Amino acid sequence: MALIFHSKIKRDDWWREVLGKVLPGMEVRFYPEIGNPDDIEYALCFAMPHGVLSQFKNLKGIFSLGAGVDHFFADPDFPKHLPFARVVDDELTARMSEYVLQHVLNHHRYQADFDLQQKDHVWKERFPPAARNRKVGILGLGALGQGAAERLKYLEFDVAGWSRSPKEIEGVTCYHGADQLDEFLARTEILVCLLPLTEETTGIINKDLLAKLPEGAAVINPGRGPHVVPEDLMTAIDSGHISSATLDVFIQEPLPENDPLWDHPKIRITPHVASVAAPERVAALTAENIKRIENGEDPLNKVDPERGY
Ligand code: NDP
Ligand code: OXD
C-alpha cells in the first residue's frame, strides 16, 4: 500500500516522520518519485500537477492538504468519482481567525493611513467608531467564516455573513443567495472573503460588487486570488470609494515581482500565509479517513464534486 504526497512547501522529512507514526504500514512516496503507479492507493496533496492523479488506477481516496480544493477541480482529469476529503481543523480555523482579526483591526483603526502619515512625519488624529458600531461582513460562513465571526463578535464588532444556504448563527446577521447579496454589501464597512473558489465565486469581488459597498469600505481577501479582479480593486481604491485592502492570495502565486499590487500604497500584501494546517493534525485526519474508506465508510470532511467545495 502506498500514498503519494505532494505539497508546494517542501518539508518531506517532516511529513515522512508524522505520516510514518500514524500510518506505519503505508509507504509514502513524494511526487515526482511515483515508482510503480499501480501501488498508489491514496493521495495526500496540494496543487498536484494536472493529469497525475488520473494515472493511478488503484487509487481509493484523495485528501487535500488544505481546506481549499479548487486546485483539484482545475485538473480536467481529476477523478471525481473517488472519495475526496479536505481539512477542517480547529487550529487551522483559529489561525485564520487571527489573520482576520489582525487585518479587520488594522482597517477599523485606519492603520494604512497612519503608516502613510508616519512616512511624511504627519501627526493627524482620526478615531474609529466603537467596534459595536463597525459593520464587518464575511463572504462565506463555512468552517473558517464562522470561526472568524465568533472572534469578531467577541471583540463586539457588528458581524454579518453571506452564504449559499440559509444560516442561523447567534449574534451574526445572516444573508444568503444572490438575492440577498446587495443588502449584505450595503451594510458592510469591512468585507472579508472566505469563500471557496468555484465557477460561481470567481471574480466575485469586481467593480459591480465594490460599487455596492459603502464609501470608505475596506476589503480583506484570504480566500483565493481569483475571487478578486485586481484592476477593479485598484481602480476602486484610487477613486477613493474603497479605502484600502489586504490580500493574502493571488491569481498567480508567488505574486510576480512586477505586479502593480506590490506597490499600491493602500494595499497590504501577505504571501498566502493566512492559515495552514499542522502536519501532525493532517496526518491524524488522513489516517482516520483511510481507516474509514477501508471500512467502506465516507471520509470525514467529504467534498461534494457537484458543488465544487
Ligand atoms: P467551507 O466549505 O466550510 O465554507 C464555504 C462557505 O462559502 C460556505 O458558507 C458556503 O455556503 C459559502 N459559499 C460557497 N459558494 C457560495 C456561493 N456561490 N454563494 C454564497 N456562498 C457560497 O470552506 P472553509 O470555510 O473551510 O474555507 C473557505 C476557503 O478559505 C477555502 O476554500 C480556501 O479557498 C480558503 N483558505 C485560505 C487559506 C489561506 O491561507 N489563505 C487557508 C485555508 C483556506 P454554504 O454554507 O451554504 O454551503
Ligand atoms: C488551504 C490553503 O486551502 O492553505 O488550506 O490555502
Side-chain angles (χ1 to χ4, degrees):
M1 218 195 247
L3 174 145
I4 187 81
F5 179 93
H6 178 259
S7 166
K8 288 189 303 181
I9 305 166
K10 276 274 164 219
R11 287 178 180 161
D12 294 357
D13 289 347
W14 191 2
W15 280 103
R16 198 183 296 285
E17 190 188 323
V18 293
L19 288 169
K21 277 188 193 150
V22 292
L23 289 168
M26 180 77 74
E27 187 191 343
V28 180
R29 297 186 187 163
F30 291 85
Y31 181 84
E33 272 141 44
I34 294 171
N36 178 355
D38 295 351
D39 298 341
I40 307 289
E41 293 187 349
Y42 291 98
L44 173 62
C45 47
F46 201 91
M48 181 67 107
H50 292 181
V52 173
L53 293 172
S54 59
Q55 313 169 27
F56 304 130
K57 63 174 196 280
N58 294 320
L59 201 57
K60 296 184 197 165
I62 302 172
F63 311 120
S64 172
L65 262 183
V69 292
D70 45 288
H71 44 104
F72 291 92
F73 292 128
D75 176 352
D77 299 319
F78 180 70
K80 281 189 179 173
H81 61 285
L82 291 174
F84 174 32
R86 69 188 190 98
V87 177
V88 177
D89 173 63
D90 291 352
E91 210 172 84
L92 179 131
T93 301
R95 286 179 168 151
M96 180 59 83
S97 300
E98 276 175 21
Y99 184 90
V100 171
L101 279 189
Q102 176 191 1
H103 294 287
V104 164
L105 286 169
N106 275 338
H107 291 291
H108 169 57
R109 301 195 62 96
Y110 314 120
Q111 190 57 46
D113 287 344
F114 295 142
D115 287 347
L116 292 174
Q117 286 183 200
Q118 183 176 348
K119 275 204 185 115
D120 297 333
H121 300 194
V122 171
W123 183 277
K124 191 170 151 211
E125 297 96 339
R126 188 177 178 200
F127 294 99
R132 70 188 153 77
N133 293 323
R134 177 70 82 193
K135 293 184 164 58
V136 181
I138 306 175
L139 289 169
L141 280 174
L144 301 181
Q146 289 196 34
E150 284 305 321
R151 306 285 170 114
L152 289 163
K153 263 167 42 182
Y154 182 75
L155 290 190
E156 299 188 355
F157 283 101
D158 181 350
V159 186
W162 181 72
S163 53
R164 212 160 70 124
S165 55
K167 303 243 178 289
E168 271 182 38
I169 305 169
E170 205 190 322
V172 178
T173 312
C174 295
Y175 298 86
H176 70 276
D179 292 351
Q180 295 184 5
L181 180 59
D182 288 3
E183 204 185 328
F184 162 83
L185 295 171
R187 54 85 71 204
T188 293
E189 296 172 291
I190 300 178
L191 180 75
V192 180
C193 177
L194 280 170
L195 289 167
L197 186 68
T198 64
E199 251 173 56
E200 285 174 16
T201 65
T202 299
I204 190 169
I205 305 183
N206 57 28
K207 60 176 184 310
D208 296 339
L209 178 145
L210 293 165
K212 290 172 184 164
L213 291 168
E215 183 88 24
V219 173
I220 302 173
N221 184 26
R224 281 290 182 262
H227 284 135
V228 172
V229 179
E231 298 73 23
D232 290 0
L233 178 63
M234 286 188 280
T235 304
I237 297 177
D238 294 341
S239 75
H241 180 66
I242 296 298
S243 63
S244 52
T246 302
L247 305 176
D248 184 54
V249 283
F250 302 90
I251 293 171
Q252 190 183 335
E253 294 182 9
L255 184 62
E257 213 195 310
N258 60 356
D259 195 292
L261 288 169
W262 281 115
D263 295 315
H264 198 290
K266 298 282 183 79
I267 296 180
R268 183 165 286 191
I269 287 182
T270 53
H272 198 150
V273 290
S275 190
V276 70
E280 290 77 7
R281 298 177 75 103
V282 176
L285 181 61
T286 305
E288 170 64 24
N289 276 340
I290 289 177
K291 195 168 84 192
R292 283 171 175 256
I293 293 172
E294 292 291 325
N295 288 337
E297 294 165 34
D298 272 348
L300 297 172
N301 317 319
K302 195 172 173 204
V303 177
D304 176 351
E306 292 315 312
R307 282 190 331 184
Y309 68 98

